[in-house]
Amino acid sequence: MDVEALKTLKPHEFEEASLGYRSTSNMASQAKDALERRITPQMQHSLNGEAADAAVTRLLELTQDFHYMQAECGLISAALNAFAADVRPAQAKLERALADADEHKFTVGADGSVAYPAMSSGPGGPPTAPGAASGTLSEQARALQRQAGVFDPNPNYAIAQDIANRIAEALREATEADQKWAPALRALKADDDLTVSEQDWADVQKDMEGVREAGRHYLDSLPQPPKDGDPKDNASWWSKLDPDQQEAWTSAHPEIVGALDGLPAAARDEANRYVLDETRGQYQTELDAMPKPPADEWTWINAGGYASKVHTDEWMDWYRAHGERHDHLVASLHGMESLQARFDSSGKRGLPEAYLLGFSAEDDGRAIVANGNPDTAVHQAVYVPGTKAALQGIGGDVDRMGMMWRAAEGKASGQPVSTITWLGYDAPDDVAKDAPFSHYANDGAPAFNRFMDGLDASHTGDSPPHRTAIGHSYGTTLIGSAARQGTLNADDVILAGSPGVQVPKAEQMDVPKGHVWNLEADGDPVPDLGRFAHGGTDWDGPWIIPSDEEFGANQMTTGDIHGHSEYWKEGSTSLLNQGFVVAGRGDDALLKERPTHWEHMR
């Protein structure tokens, strides 16, 4: 990077190229959405047979191709804008220095040296010789020259040296930008095949980290999301970003964009899909590289005269080195495959497009999945699963809300419905060891309230949507804690198999009177066992749960379902009644007599 190269550099050309790549990214995004949300759903809804299945499979593979193109072109766009932002100050610094040199009639060499003319040393004194100043000398070297008495008496020298120093600084900054971004851009190159593999997505994550690190100065110069902002603040921040800035944030920091309540569902979905695919690529690559467990896991020993089955020493050595991480990778990948299966099933039996509103594979994992766009839905339902809920088993919870969508959509008189699985908290892992404690619910409740407020902030309808909070098992405890700690922001609450909601009365659930609905199936042991941990207490007695008459909930019939896990069984009365509530037709739900608290206790 010399004077001529920096002087003639045109940063706007890189920004124009960035715009081209952003346009390509947007076209890839539109193609992906068209395939995933319109074309393949319509095919799966209306066509059957091997040929149709094969065509859908190929189209879903093409969807991944477009998604990969969208991600990489978005990163290139952000990188080019960042390079232009990095080099423009250096060019401006050079231009100011050259203008000063021209004003003093100095000559600037290609290497940045500044030649100055002879000049009188003072009144009556002899003229000093012409010379040249170089900005390549360090300040330390110039200080040593001064100490040794090496200096130029020409008054032009000091001016020329200052100009040369500024030119050298501009060239150094431009060179650093060039050396930083040239390899980063070269890395943004796809394999020469048409298959987007898990390794490709792992490379996307590395590319993203490279762009994020190299572009730190540029990204830090962008408007930053509100610190600890509420959903309205988040929505306002996002709406004020221009398309380039939104693209930069989504490409370089999808984990931030995807987690911000209040942002449009489409924006969160796009960001979280990046995080999902990149994480899946990273996890699968790591798992493939990990030593496989020994084939002989078990052996038999004689323990006190009895045969006992134990792990082999070889297997134990492997497990101590790799087992915990191996189990996490396998469990998380299973959950990610379940999420992908939901995305690929849009259109089957009328199921709408899916939106990934939250995702993380850390610890037990997090996932928030919407059936249908909540931003345009007239009726929204948000479901909180209970004990043992984790990314590994997210498929079952997502399926429940698929059933819930079909039940509600059929009763909504054509109004759009969105049903959401919200695994946005650390659920208890064990019924006996963890579920009796309230801190899981209390810790997760504020995040649930923010999410519910975010649904308001991102909604684009002419009027606020009708919103239902649905909890199962310990998930009902979290909803109760959310109502107790803050504003629930729901119109109806459905509680299924509830062990208690921390409050003794339905009126404390922060919804209009008569809008708390309870389900308890025959043979479900959780309500009565859980009441001693999560039941509310008032003058009517201790340990009151939603199944008690004293609580004041509408007790809906459940039909022939049995136990703790069938509340969303297809075709059941339980599901039918929930569908009425979610569609805003709670008056049509079938109710049963409400047993008293003391009858339950007996």
Side-chain angles (χ1 to χ4, degrees), residues 43 128 130 204 206 262 314 329 353 409 470 519 561 572 576:
M43 291 178 66
T128 58
V204 171
K206 294 177 183 177
E314 293 79 10
L329 294 174
E353 73 278 10
E409 192 271 342
I470 305 174
L519 294 159
I561 66 170
S572 67
L576 172 74

Side-chain angles (χ1 to χ4, degrees), residues 26-42:
N26 290 341
M27 286 189 289
S29 175
Q30 292 167 6
K32 171 183 71 70
D33 290 346
L35 286 169
E36 184 179 87
R37 295 178 180 171
R38 188 174 73 250
I39 297 172
T40 56
Q42 289 176 357

Side-chain angles (χ1 to χ4, degrees), residues 275-468:
V275 179
L276 171 65
D277 285 337
E278 290 165 12
T279 303
R280 185 168 53 186
Q282 175 204 336
Y283 274 32
Q284 189 62 60
T285 301
E286 183 180 350
L287 183 63
D288 292 343
M290 185 176 289
K292 299 295 184 279
D296 296 327
E297 179 180 350
W298 299 97
T299 188
W300 292 89
I301 64 171
N302 187 325
Y306 294 94
S308 180
K309 188 178 181 182
V310 298
H311 289 294
T312 64
D313 291 341
E314 293 79 10
W315 191 90
M316 287 301 300
D317 289 341
W318 171 85
Y319 194 83
R320 278 188 286 268
H322 308 288
E324 186 173 338
R325 183 61 178 172
H326 177 273
D327 291 349
H328 174 72
L329 294 174
V330 171
S332 299
L333 284 166
H334 179 76
M336 289 184 248
E337 290 166 2
S338 297
L339 292 175
Q340 188 61 52
R342 168 59 191 93
F343 304 146
D344 294 346
S345 65
S346 296
K348 290 184 177 178
R349 300 179 57 204
L351 202 61
E353 73 278 10
Y355 294 81
L356 187 61
L357 305 182
F359 174 79
S360 171
E362 294 181 6
D363 300 321
D364 286 343
R366 304 283 190 274
I368 306 172
V369 183
N371 300 299
N373 190 343
D375 292 349
T376 57
V378 173
H379 302 284
Q380 303 169 341
V382 185
Y383 161 73
V384 185
T387 301
K388 296 185 179 181
L391 179 60
Q392 178 180 8
I394 192 67
D397 293 313
V398 170
D399 287 344
R400 285 177 173 178
M401 285 304 97
M403 295 291 186
M404 187 75 264
W405 183 88
R406 292 188 180 100
E409 192 271 342
K411 300 168 182 58
S413 303
Q415 295 176 323
V417 174
S418 178
T419 59
I420 303 169
T421 299
W422 187 85
L423 177 55
Y425 79 115
D426 179 24
D429 292 330
D430 185 89
V431 173
K433 294 179 181 178
D434 303 315
F437 297 99
S438 296
H439 67 85
Y440 297 95
N442 296 338
D443 293 345
F448 183 71
N449 281 334
R450 285 194 300 273
F451 180 78
M452 299 289 271
D453 290 343
L455 292 177
D456 267 350
S458 63
H459 197 258
T460 58
D462 294 332
S463 58
H466 165 250
R467 186 175 302 122
T468 304

Side-chain angles (χ1 to χ4, degrees), residues 205-227:
Q205 186 176 51
K206 294 177 183 177
D207 292 341
M208 179 191 69
E209 291 169 354
V211 170
R212 187 160 56 197
E213 178 62 27
R216 183 178 301 172
H217 174 74
Y218 168 68
L219 294 169
D220 288 347
S221 71
L222 298 178
Q224 301 294 300
K227 186 177 181 181

